[in-house]
Amino acid sequence: MPLIDDIRAYRAFNKQEAADRAVILRQLECDPHVFDRDSLAHMTCSIWTVDPTATRTLMVFHTTYGSWSWIGGHADGERDLAQVALRELEEETGVINARIVPCGPGNIFSLEVLTVDGHDKRGRYVSSHLHLNVTYLAVASPDEPLRIKPDENSGVRWFDLNDALDASTEPWIRNRVYRKLLDKLRAANPF
């Protein structure tokens, strides 16, 4: 099933998801370049990775944002965002044996529209834009070896779920997104 159909079938968890779902659908319906990062609002994905007991989550210290963060990246033309998310997980952390947890249409765990302020990246200025983000839930073993991706992060580690909130220095992401992901994880009890 195409991603747009999965998002249409997705049931919003809260007001933020309902509003953001409408924005994402509108862009998917009207922008033929929505999967390319050159579009002002473009598709991205994240992967909220937990251990098998769902008591810890894997995070990276994101260089651009100067904060502990979830893992994710741009679609860059690809439409299978679950595969993009798994690839980003491997590239950013070294984890290779994660599995996406089934949780609804297209295994979508969460939806977000994320604002990105203008910033320098690899010697070039990137203008402010929107990430139309699809989040997947994955489980991985904390015994897998971890490694950083020096051009994107300077740390990779497992956090107790509540400590993950405290580690984020981005108030909106911490309070609106990471808190929501923890609430959804506890409500869904997917394990």
Side-chain angles (χ1 to χ4, degrees):
M1 183 181 320
L3 179 64
I4 193 168
D5 292 336
D6 292 335
I7 294 173
R8 283 182 182 129
Y10 178 80
R11 297 188 68 192
F13 181 72
N14 61 18
K15 292 178 190 178
Q16 169 266 310
E17 283 197 352
D20 289 356
R21 179 180 165 271
V23 171
I24 294 169
L25 285 171
R26 191 167 42 251
Q27 285 303 115
L28 282 167
E29 291 163 353
C30 75
D31 183 357
H33 303 288
V34 72
F35 285 89
D36 300 319
R37 72 171 77 196
D38 291 338
S39 183
L40 180 60
H42 52 264
M43 297 305 300
T44 61
C45 60
S46 296
I47 190 161
W48 186 252
T49 307
V50 298
D51 71 342
T53 64
T55 59
R56 293 188 287 170
T57 187
L58 184 61
M59 299 182 85
V60 296
F61 191 83
H62 199 288
T63 308
T64 299
Y65 302 114
S67 180
W68 286 98
S69 175
W70 56 3
I71 294 107
H74 291 85
D76 287 332
E78 293 186 46
R79 293 176 184 263
D80 186 344
L81 294 185
Q83 287 306 309
V84 173
L86 286 169
R87 183 184 70 232
E88 292 290 333
L89 178 63
E90 181 179 349
E91 288 176 1
E92 292 183 28
T93 70
V95 171
I96 58 174
N97 292 310
R99 69 174 174 80
I100 300 248
V101 176
C103 44
N107 294 324
I108 296 170
F109 186 58
S110 181
L111 294 173
E112 300 84 23
V113 173
L114 307 169
T115 59
V116 180
D117 291 336
H119 59 278
D120 289 305
K121 186 167 186 175
R122 297 182 186 118
R124 142 182 185 289
Y125 184 75
V126 178
S127 189
S128 298
H129 57 277
L130 294 177
H131 284 173
L132 309 175
N133 198 66
V134 176
T135 301
Y136 298 92
L137 176 64
V139 64
S141 170
D143 296 330
E144 281 203 53
L146 302 176
R147 63 169 166 69
I148 64 168
K149 185 172 190 259
D151 64 330
E152 290 190 24
N153 65 58
S154 60
V156 179
R157 67 178 264 218
W158 288 93
F159 284 88
D160 175 80
L161 292 177
N162 290 324
D163 292 339
L165 290 177
D166 295 336
S168 173
T169 59
E170 300 174 275
W172 189 88
I173 293 282
R174 179 184 60 237
N175 298 332
R176 291 289 187 149
V177 177
Y178 299 160
R179 168 63 59 201
K180 173 189 68 171
L181 296 175
L182 295 181
D183 291 346
K184 288 183 81 166
L185 183 63
R186 290 176 178 132
N189 194 14
F191 303 104

